[in-house]
């Protein structure tokens, strides 16, 4: 499973992508399932950026987007489990997909330890988690 934004899908909060050519090729060859939990949860493109504050996902304008993030994460997890997947390459630092480090909720680009909502669900299910900065170990 790969975060859709990493394969070229313009689904980031700002309507852009974070294309990684190797991951885009995997997608083009039909070798990975791509998901964007935020879009699956009903959030629009573009959308106000969000960060995790405590146990909630809050947008920069103060809107609580936790229900959409949880819904999307559950739908994406269901897809992964139905396909028998056990490995995910996720967008680093994202409030959905960040694994190991996410922004701290102050919108100051400050990182803290922790996982995004989707990454946390995958970790609890025993998935191996990678991001665009370290996935290359999977290709060798």
């Amino acid at each position: 499973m790969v975060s859709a934004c990493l394969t070229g899908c313009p689904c980031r909060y700002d309507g852009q992508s974070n294309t990684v050519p190797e991951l885009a090729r995997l997608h083009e060859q039909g070798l990975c399932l791509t998901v964007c939990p935020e879009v699956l949860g009903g959030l629009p493109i573009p959308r106000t950026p969000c960060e995790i504050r405590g146990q909630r996902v809050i947008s920069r304008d103060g809107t609580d987007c936790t229900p959409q993030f949880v819904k999307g994460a559950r739908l994406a997890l269901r897809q992964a489990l139905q396909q028998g997947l056990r490995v995910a390459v996720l967008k680093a630092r994202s409030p959905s997909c960040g694994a190991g480090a996410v922004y701290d909720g102050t919108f100051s680009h400050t990182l803290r330890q922790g996982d995004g909502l989707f990454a946390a669900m995958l970790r609890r299910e025993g998935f191996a988690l990678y991001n665009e900065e370290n996935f290359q170990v999977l290709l060798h």
Side-chain angles (χ1 to χ4, degrees):
M1 173 178 283
V2 178
S3 292
C5 64
L6 299 178
T7 66
C9 179
C11 57
R12 280 175 34 122
Y13 73 91
D14 60 3
Q16 302 295 309
S17 71
N18 291 304
T19 307
V20 176
E22 298 94 336
L23 297 173
R25 278 193 292 281
L26 287 177
H27 173 64
E28 290 164 6
Q29 296 168 359
L31 298 175
C32 64
L33 171 67
T34 61
V35 297
C36 178
E38 296 172 26
V39 173
L40 283 172
L43 293 171
I45 305 167
R47 57 190 167 275
T48 305
C50 294
E51 293 186 4
I52 298 173
R53 187 178 306 149
Q55 300 300 312
R56 311 302 295 173
V57 182
I58 307 297
S59 72
R60 182 181 291 148
D61 66 11
T63 303
D64 186 347
C65 297
T66 307
Q68 295 93 334
F69 273 71
V70 170
K71 176 184 176 184
R74 287 180 178 154
L75 290 170
L77 175 61
R78 183 180 312 145
Q79 289 180 16
L81 293 173
Q82 287 173 343
Q83 302 249 350
L85 304 178
R86 303 308 297 166
V87 176
V89 180
L90 304 173
K91 177 65 189 99
R93 298 173 290 283
S94 157
S96 289
C97 296
V102 294
Y103 292 112
D104 70 354
T106 63
F107 297 94
S108 64
H109 291 89
T110 303
L111 292 174
R112 66 164 177 83
Q113 286 188 323
D115 293 332
L117 268 66
F118 180 49
M121 285 184 187
L122 291 175
R123 191 180 300 281
R124 283 192 296 272
E125 290 290 329
F127 277 69
L129 302 180
Y130 298 87
N131 62 39
E132 71 273 21
E133 298 162 356
N134 66 10
F135 76 94
Q136 293 83 357
V137 298
L138 297 171
L139 303 178
H140 303 289

